[in-house]
Amino acid sequence: MKPAAQFPAADARRLAGVLFDLDDTVLDRGRLSQSALAALYGLAESGLLLVGVTGRPAGWGQVLVRQWPVAGMVTENGIIALVQRQHRVHLLDRLSHGEREQRRAQLLALVAELRERFVELEPSDDIAGRFSDYSFDIAESRQVDAAVVRAASDFARERGARVVRSSIHLHISYDADDKASGVLRFLHGEHGIDPSAARHGFAFVGDSENDAPCFGAFEHTFGVANLRGRPSLLPRYIASEPMGKGFAEIAAVLLAARR
Ligand SMILES: [Mg+2]
């Protein structure tokens, strides 16, 4: 990983957009700082297409796509995307409404089993806005022992579910998408950008395990400083500052080159 300041100016000028994780990347333990918000506006004003790519619920995406200077929000770790067209927010799901309902029932049956076996697991406080996944709070308002998280993850995988970890949550779903497949589908479907052009033309900024597919898929990848200490995560560039300050630092590097 090289320092973010060494990102080549020529690459910054060629970028079509910036994709970013929310928690502990743009947000500081859930809070949006003034500098991170200013960084988002600066990037959008320099002509970059912005898309948030998060494990947070589709219900959050419905709000943020209205309020933030973004072209869309890819939520629930790639499964559900939100876009605003003519002042209306549209929810984009691969499944029909009926198929989603059926899959949800299957997911809730697994969740009931998990909660019976692993009593330490508590739902996160944002499950009401979720359509495709269920999330447990493992490090947001409480700390769940790593051995319990591992055992519960193995149990869910044995039942055919997909398990994804963020810095704060353990997500369970029956959908195969990840952040990379979800955002590539969004860019193709909404903006006609084919996946190989997107891989070379967009930068991704993240901090955590659920960002690994994007660190692998995109050519221009950045981590914020709090990513350090996770040897499996290797963005090509890293900010010296953590979370929102790190995001603002990366944005400043890109904007200085694009001015
Ligand atoms: Mg994160």
Side-chain angles (χ1 to χ4, degrees), residues 66-141:
R66 284 181 191 274
Q67 294 182 344
W68 286 17
V70 294
M73 289 296 303
V74 174
T75 63
E76 304 189 9
N77 288 307
I79 305 167
I80 310 272
L82 291 305
V83 66
Q84 188 169 207
R85 302 185 199 118
Q86 275 116 38
H87 306 289
R88 279 191 71 111
V89 173
H90 297 263
L91 186 145
L92 312 174
D93 187 355
R94 261 184 215 278
L95 300 189
S96 69
H97 184 69
E99 288 166 337
R100 178 56 66 203
E101 294 276 289
Q102 218 168 21
R103 196 168 286 186
R104 181 123 202 105
Q106 183 191 9
L107 178 65
L108 292 179
L110 172 61
V111 166
E113 257 190 290
L114 280 165
R115 294 202 65 186
E116 204 177 288
R117 269 169 196 261
F118 304 96
V119 291
E120 301 90 336
L121 291 179
E122 293 279 350
S124 63
D125 65 6
D126 62 0
I127 48 161
R130 294 186 179 276
F131 285 64
S132 68
D133 74 346
Y134 193 93
S135 55
F136 294 105
D137 179 359
I138 55 169
E140 188 173 30
S141 67

Side-chain angles (χ1 to χ4, degrees), residues 21-25 166-168 179 206-211 226:
D21 167 54
L22 288 187
D23 284 279
D24 300 337
T25 297
S166 73
S167 55
I168 50 175
K179 282 190 173 189
D207 79 297
S208 190
E209 281 75 7
N210 57 340
D211 299 318
N226 43 298

Side-chain angles (χ1 to χ4, degrees), residues 156-169:
R157 282 196 198 96
E158 279 159 24
R159 293 286 192 285
R162 185 190 65 141
V163 180
V164 179
R165 274 192 69 163
S166 73
S167 55
I168 50 175
H169 293 162

Side-chain angles (χ1 to χ4, degrees), residues 3 5 9 29 105-106 114 139 174 182 205 245:
R29 296 192 175 83
Q106 183 191 9
L114 280 165
Y174 280 106
V205 190
K245 275 191 182 154

